[in-house]
Amino acid sequence: EYGRPFIILKEQQQKARIKGLEAQKSNILAAKAVSNVLRTSLGPKGMDKMLVSQDGDVTITNDGATILERMEVQHQVAKLLVELSQSQDNEIGDGTTGVVVLAGALLAQAEKLLDRGIHPVRIAEGYEQACEIGLKTLGEIGDVVEFDERNLEPLINTAETTLNSKIINVNRRKMAEIAVNAVVGVADLERKDVNFDMIKMEGKPGGRLEDTELIQGVVLDKEMSHPQVNFTKMIQQVKDSGANLVICQWGFDDEANHLLLQNKLPAVRWVGGVELELIAIATGARIIPRFSELTPEKLGEAKVCREISFGTTKEKMLVIEGCKNSSAVTCVVRGGNNMIVQEAKRSLHDAMCVVRNLIKDNRVVYGGGSAEIACSLAVSKHADSVLGTDQYAIRAFADALDDIPLALAENSGLSPIEELAAVKSKQAKEANPFLGIDCTQNGTNCMKTQGVFETLIGKQQQLLLATQVVKMVLKIDDVISMGQYQ
Ligand code: ADP
Ligand code: MG
């Protein structure tokens, strides 16, 4: 199904080759090591990680995909988990920690079964069956959230759930509103379509997180260039076309700058290609390679073009608002230092992805591990009806699902086993799939009351992707280092 993976292990070079059960176990060990790193980051009370790169750059983050990317994992099997987290990030944008924790738990359970002499293929098949039950259960317990332009509250709530676990959670209401307004600004709610490319994110260290704002237009981290050559003719061409702002991908020297100033033509230089395109789309302008090609029809239009300054520093940014063609928006993220700004940008991106997913598909499940517990109950129930060895693997899958609420409780300083047992028995007794771990100690286990939502497609994707990777790891029974196949 996956072709035949050919895996090379770095530290195994001295050893000729590992085979069979030994190979499976060593791979599981490597993958578990990675997932254990992320386990403590899960949930609203999860910890952050500080990652220091070779040249000393520091990143502080809670985002699973970012942590794994910056960890620079070497082990080939462990790398599969890094890719797992990235595919969740690419497709959904959130749930990147959860998916790796789940995969780790599935592998830990598989290890126990291997010890009991169950064949890896039986485990893989049991997992597959169990995963299907899980997906079906998610579909059944899912809820639909209704929203429209006038009632964006459900979207804001979901964005807030995503932001709960991030450094910026003190300002989560405001950040969630920014994320929702940004996405709704570029969305076509009727066609359920979101043009993510029209959202731009700029960050500027200094100032407070609360100063973060959404601008209905394009913001350039550039100042007006004032003013360079031979150039007189070019400027005449610009003036003749009727343009009153010049934006240039390349630079021009000081003399040209001076001439522009003399002719009262504001200009911006060294603007990146992507930004230039965005401005062109937004204002309906055409990008021209030579001054001689400038004609009035190629000009774009915007209502306002102004510079914004930041507090006492001299730094400025350029804002182009009221663009003719489109709804491009820019988030200007502020924060005490660059690390916070970068993390705030990542967190806002997660929140925007979640809002986009909801606009595309408005079904949700509840968080706090409630959905996992409901699936776990359904999967164990199914295991009871299965004869033969597959039931062990199916039950193991249910146990692995329990690891999400366990980790959430543990990270919130609660006693994990007691908490899980209590919630699980309550769910079974009341047949209420909304009960989860009360991480924030709000006094209720009902995640619906607490307003902790996650998108249905996000959760389903987690189960699906984690199961796929685990099956892949289980099927590797021979690790051959280059040339050493004897
Ligand atoms: P991920 O990268 O997987 O999104 P997070 O650190 O964002 O990881 O944690 C997500 C988990 O935290 C989900 O299981 C979600 O349901 C849970 N969660 C978020 N907010 C709350 C809350 N207020 N109460 C309980 N659980 C929460
Ligand atoms: Mg999250």
Side-chain angles (χ1 to χ4, degrees):
E1 190 176 346
Y2 297 104
R4 201 195 259 156
F6 185 80
I7 305 290
I8 299 154
L9 290 173
K10 205 180 177 195
E11 61 271 33
Q12 299 296 337
Q13 262 156 13
Q14 297 86 357
K15 268 193 184 179
R17 174 175 175 182
I18 49 168
K19 275 202 248 182
L21 206 53
E22 206 194 332
Q24 268 123 3
K25 286 215 172 154
S26 121
N27 292 341
I28 289 178
L29 198 69
K32 264 184 13 194
V34 168
S35 108
N36 279 341
V37 172
L38 290 196
R39 201 167 185 271
T40 55
S41 289
L42 187 73
K45 302 281 170 184
M47 295 289 174
D48 298 333
K49 307 282 169 192
M50 183 188 253
L51 298 134
V52 185
S53 76
Q54 271 177 346
D55 41 10
D57 286 342
V58 175
T59 310
I60 298 178
T61 182
N62 180 277
D63 183 60
T66 311
I67 298 172
L68 291 182
E69 183 198 314
R70 309 274 155 99
M71 263 166 61
E72 298 186 14
V73 173
Q74 296 292 328
H75 193 287
Q76 298 296 323
V77 169
K79 270 190 189 161
L80 289 177
L81 290 207
V82 178
E83 281 162 23
L84 168 68
S85 181
Q86 264 150 16
S87 24
Q88 176 83 16
D89 201 25
N90 293 342
E91 273 172 55
I92 307 293
D94 188 29
T96 54
T97 316
V99 71
V100 176
V101 173
L102 182 59
L106 284 169
L107 285 168
Q109 293 294 337
E111 199 179 11
K112 286 192 204 158
L113 297 180
L114 290 173
D115 284 340
R116 284 163 66 185
I118 298 181
H119 194 279
V121 168
R122 298 253 61 84
I123 304 177
E125 275 170 19
Y127 276 8
E128 181 148 3
Q129 263 189 50
C131 178
E132 244 155 60
I133 303 284
L135 295 179
K136 205 174 114 229
T137 312
L138 286 177
E140 285 162 8
I141 62 171
D143 228 344
V144 178
V145 289
E146 299 293 348
F147 57 88
D148 54 54
E149 272 126 287
R150 271 156 290 126
N151 173 26
L152 297 172
E153 199 55 35
L155 293 180
I156 298 175
N157 277 336
T158 321
E160 275 188 86
T161 305
T162 302
L163 293 174
N164 266 332
S165 54
K166 313 288 184 190
I167 300 184
I168 61 173
N169 73 10
V170 257
N171 305 106
R172 67 165 176 272
R173 176 76 201 183
K174 175 158 191 209
M175 293 296 183
E177 280 172 3
I178 289 183
V180 170
N181 288 335
V183 177
V184 170
V186 299
D188 183 334
L189 291 184
E190 233 141 71
R191 282 181 32 235
K192 300 190 174 199
D193 185 44
V194 180
N195 188 356
F196 235 51
D197 296 336
M198 299 311 286
I199 303 178
K200 196 166 168 268
M201 208 101 71
E202 279 293 343
K204 198 97 183 156
R208 295 174 306 165
L209 270 172
E210 311 61 315
D211 300 331
T212 299
E213 57 178 324
L214 186 70
I215 287 176
Q216 302 291 339
V218 186
V219 177
L220 288 179
D221 192 358
K222 291 276 178 287
E223 292 179 24
M224 294 284 185
S225 94
H226 267 302
Q228 324 166 15
V229 201
N230 339 343
F231 208 75
T232 326
K233 193 169 153 222
M234 294 179 187
I235 287 175
Q236 199 50 50
Q237 281 167 337
V238 174
K239 286 225 100 158
D240 286 348
S241 75
N244 50 16
L245 173 70
V246 182
I247 299 176
C248 182
Q249 187 167 13
W250 307 110
F252 28 83
D253 58 38
D254 288 336
E255 204 173 330
N257 227 358
H258 178 72
L259 272 170
L260 284 165
L261 178 66
Q262 254 184 358
N263 284 284
K264 297 198 172 60
L265 259 180
V268 191
R269 50 187 165 174
W270 299 118
V271 175
V274 179
E275 291 179 320
L276 204 64
E277 265 170 42
L278 185 65
I279 297 171
I281 298 173
T283 61
R286 294 272 294 277
I287 299 171
I288 51 155
R290 272 171 296 276
F291 277 97
S292 53
E293 289 178 21
L294 194 55
T295 55
E297 320 82 75
K298 290 179 182 163
L299 295 178
E301 266 174 52
K303 290 210 179 68
V304 188
C305 184
R306 62 191 167 97
E307 274 185 316
I308 45 173
S309 52
F310 297 101
T312 49
T313 58
K314 268 170 71 186
E315 282 176 276
K316 286 189 181 142
M317 277 186 173
L318 198 67
V319 179
I320 304 172
E321 278 170 319
C323 301
K324 180 175 104 182
N325 270 0
S326 85
S327 43
V329 294
T330 310
C331 248
V332 182
V333 180
R334 306 299 317 277
N337 59 42
N338 197 29
M339 274 177 271
I340 300 258
V341 171
Q342 296 306 328
E343 175 69 353
K345 274 164 86 171
R346 282 189 289 270
S347 308
L348 270 175
H349 178 259
D350 277 19
M352 287 178 191
C353 288
V354 165
V355 175
R356 173 199 59 189
N357 297 345
L358 264 190
I359 290 178
K360 290 196 164 164
D361 184 341
N362 65 348
R363 290 174 301 167
V364 293
V365 289
Y366 294 93
S370 62
E372 284 85 354
I373 297 175
C375 290
S376 165
L377 286 169
V379 172
S380 336
K381 190 158 164 248
H382 173 72
D384 293 340
S385 69
V386 175
L387 300 170
T389 39
D390 279 0
Q391 60 175 295
Y392 295 105
I394 298 173
R395 231 168 250 130
F397 193 96
D399 289 342
L401 283 167
D402 285 344
D403 202 45
I404 300 285
L406 280 177
L408 287 173
E410 203 173 319
N411 294 344
S412 317
L414 304 169
S415 142
I417 308 220
E418 273 167 40
E419 219 39 57
L420 174 69
V423 174
K424 208 169 172 180
S425 71
K426 219 169 158 196
Q427 264 214 24
K429 223 183 283 159
E430 298 173 14
N432 179 355
F434 307 148
L435 301 174
I437 305 291
D438 181 15
C439 297
T440 45
Q441 293 292 290
N442 262 350
T444 168
N445 285 101
C446 182
M447 293 296 137
K448 189 169 181 167
T449 320
Q450 289 207 22
V452 180
F453 302 124
E454 286 179 74
T455 56
L456 175 67
I457 44 173
K459 194 54 65 197
Q460 285 183 328
Q461 193 73 11
Q462 279 187 332
L463 284 199
L464 208 65
L465 291 177
T467 310
Q468 271 180 9
V469 163
V470 166
K471 274 169 48 194
M472 190 187 232
V473 173
L474 285 175
K475 284 189 177 166
I476 302 169
D477 79 333
D478 207 340
V479 180
I480 310 171
S481 307
M482 230 184 300
Q484 295 176 317
Y485 44 81
Q486 286 175 356

